[in-house]
Amino acid sequence: REDRGRAPQRDFHILFVPRRSLLCEQWLKEQGVLGSFIHREQYSLDLIPFDGDLLSMEAEGAFKECYLESDQTSLYHAAKGLMTLQALYGTIPQIFGKGECARHVANMMIRMKREFPGSQNSIFPVFDTLLLLDRNVDLLTPLATQLTYEGLIDEIYGIQNTYVKLPPEKFAPKKQGDGGKDLPTEPKKLQLNSAEELYAEIRDKNFNAVGSVLSKKAKIISAAFEERHHAKTVGEIKQFVSQLPHMQAARSSLANHTSIAELIKDITTSEDFFDNLTVEQEFMSGIDTDKVNNYIEDCIAQKHPLIKILRLVCLQSVCNSGLKQKVLDHYKKEILQTYGYEHILTLNNLEKAGLLKSQTSGRNNYPTIRKTLRLWMDDVNEQNPNDISYVYSGYAPLSVRLAQLLARPGWRSIEEVLKMLPGPHFEERQQLPTGLQKKRQHGENRVTLVFFLGGVTYAEIAALRFLSQMEDGGTEYVIATTKLINGTSWIKSLMEKLEPAPF
């Protein structure tokens, strides 16, 4: 229309994110408008920093594309993102990986490096190790309910690009004599990242340890405000006033997190939450994983949300290395009869992705994996944790356990278990230009970049941060992923949405 108009012509530009695609250009050509664009550029948006130690590609479909559709585009972008990181922070000398996709990304990186020999840069490497992990090496972790503060916020309200929307009534300023008439209707939107001191302190704690921190903070803040009565001289008053903005910010931050904690507590103290958690924990510790579970049957009969049911059934399947055909058929029949036959496509997807499967070999490897990797800890300390299992109150995320064992004593010690998990495991070394080999000072930490292909949960991030902070750990972790997920958003991405018939 613009081309036909007589008015002075405008210039059109088109920008592809994350890269130009021939299909798009072909389509524009067929529409006869390709020539109208002065510039056709691409903006390669690979890794987006979410926090000081966290990068995400925000590729929502990555898991589904890789495991259901055999589409490896997102892996190409992951490799490109890693090449960009190496251009900025030096070549990563060691690459370890586990899983088919991890192998694929490592191969692409090595090939890109060969194809662009000029990309060898003389920057001192910041990272010592890159660990590439496939999501399907550890399907169990995202299915379980996260029990850290940040994990629970995500489970209940869903954190989108570091923002969360919360029910407004808890955040309404309380005025005297209002009788609660003008309650806000817009959800309260809060940004969550470590720039906020209090959030940085409590985000990775087990939810049961958050209350005591908040009440301690409340005492400190009210004591600080009390000081104003003791300020006598001009100097003292001036000093108090200079601290005021910081104190007020701390007070409003405390008020927000107290409200959020109350909202979460209402849910975590409910009977339903407790029953659900009990069943999850029984499965993870290996109790009754091979027969139809009564609680799941009851939930289906009461028509609880379908995603909740699917998470539990998949969890049982993963903790039993597949379900007996009879058990699997029973669950499928119950789900389809209660929720509708259209969900047969979703069940099919879950089977394809390996989340739901029938036990073929008749051998259940999970108990061996659980014992060898110490995935279940009975004596978990939620207040002052000494092991990563605190993030799920007893279950240690398998993915993070692999990272921990890689740092010390190395994967050779768990060779047998690695073979039981899906996909190959490998190690690659990248040559560094002379003079750039690191000579480590005594007490200096190694830095490992852990890249989760197919998504990572906040509980896993908390567990890695916990390992970074350990006194004798010797390793700091930076986390990268294709997408930040939780069990609900992950299962949702695998569900088939059927369009209703047009008539």
Side-chain angles (χ1 to χ4, degrees), residues 373-385:
L373 298 179
R374 304 199 331 282
L375 296 185
W376 185 259
M377 311 292 271
D378 284 319
D379 46 343
V380 64
N381 182 345
E382 294 170 342
Q383 304 293 332
N384 296 308

Side-chain angles (χ1 to χ4, degrees), residues 46-48 50 53-60 62 74 77-78 82 85 131 133 135 449-458 460-461 478-485:
D46 297 314
L47 289 162
I48 307 156
F50 268 44
D53 57 355
L54 179 61
L55 300 151
S56 171
M57 288 165 53
E58 287 306 283
E60 266 168 62
S74 58
H77 290 306
L82 285 163
L85 269 185
L131 169 58
L133 280 179
R135 182 70 276 169
L449 175 65
V450 188
F451 202 126
F452 290 87
L453 299 159
V456 68
T457 61
Y458 284 106
E460 287 168 296
I461 294 169
V478 175
I479 302 126
T481 181
T482 49
K483 175 83 183 131
L484 294 160
I485 59 169

Side-chain angles (χ1 to χ4, degrees), residues 171 188 190 196 198 221 225 245-259:
F171 298 90
K188 171 89 170 166
L190 287 175
E196 190 182 345
L198 178 59
I221 290 172
F225 273 102
H246 179 256
M247 280 158 58
Q248 278 163 333
R251 186 159 68 177
S252 88
S253 161
L254 178 72
N256 282 340
H257 289 293
T258 308
S259 299

Side-chain angles (χ1 to χ4, degrees), residues 63 67-68 136 139 348-356 494:
F63 183 83
Y67 298 104
L68 292 186
N136 80 337
L139 293 170
N348 185 32
N349 282 353
L350 295 173
E351 283 190 62
K352 255 188 179 167
L355 281 161
L356 206 56
L494 295 169

